[in-house]
Amino acid sequence: VRLAESGGGSVQAGGSLTLSCAFSDVVAGLYAVAWFRQAPGKGRQFVAAISRSHSSVFGGSISADYEDSVRGRFNISRDNTEDTVFLRMGNLKPEDTAVYYCAAKFTRRSPPPTREYDYDYWGQGTQVTVSS
C-alpha cells in the first residue's frame, strides 16, 4: 500500500487548505484512513479518521471521528472513484501548524480507529504552516 499526501502549504490564520491522500496499488475503499499531525518538538497527534467505504456487501455506513480541537473546522471525506481521501481544513489557526500524515488500515471497524499504532501504512507527510 502506498500513500501520497499533497495540498500542504502556507496560509494566514482564518484561511483554508485541502489535503489529499492518494492510494496506489490497492482498493482504497477497503481501508480506514486517518490523518495525524506532528508539530515541531511534539509527538504525533490524531486529527481525523474515516471508516472504510466498501460496506455495501456488509451493510453499515461510513463514519468519521475528529480530535476535539479541529471538530467543526475540519472535514474528512473520501472519493473512492479516485482512490483519494481528503482533509478539508477551515478557519486555520497557528496551532494547526504541523506536518500532516495520512495513514491507512485494512479494517472493517466503524467508528474507525484513532490511535497511531492502529495504523499500518503511512505517507511521507505534507507541511502545513499557518501564520498569525
Side-chain angles (χ1 to χ4, degrees):
V1 178
R2 291 185 294 160
L3 305 175
E5 302 97 335
S6 61
S10 298
V11 295
Q12 291 191 326
S16 301
L17 281 174
T18 297
L19 306 183
S20 300
C21 176
F23 280 66
S24 298
D25 304 329
V26 297
V27 177
L30 294 174
Y31 292 77
V33 177
W35 287 93
F36 292 82
R37 65 186 179 187
Q38 187 166 19
K42 297 187 177 181
R44 202 168 290 186
Q45 176 193 31
F46 168 73
V47 177
I50 189 166
S51 62
R52 66 185 285 179
S53 62
H54 221 265
S55 59
S56 59
V57 175
F58 306 105
S61 58
I62 298 173
S63 63
D65 199 2
Y66 298 89
E67 195 272 328
D68 286 346
S69 70
V70 307
R71 195 182 304 274
R73 299 190 296 123
F74 291 11
N75 179 264
I76 188 170
S77 63
R78 59 192 315 153
D79 181 349
N80 289 331
T81 62
E82 298 291 335
D83 282 338
T84 303
V85 173
F86 301 99
L87 184 68
R88 293 178 173 83
M89 307 184 296
N91 191 21
L92 284 161
K93 304 176 181 181
E95 51 264 41
D96 294 318
T97 294
V99 177
Y100 284 70
Y101 299 89
C102 68
K105 181 177 180 64
F106 185 85
T107 180
R108 299 178 184 178
R109 284 176 55 183
S110 183
T114 61
R115 296 171 297 188
E116 181 179 356
Y117 59 78
D118 284 324
Y119 286 86
D120 304 310
Y121 306 100
W122 292 81
Q124 295 298 306
T126 185
Q127 176 71 45
V128 172
T129 302
V130 184
S131 57
S132 58

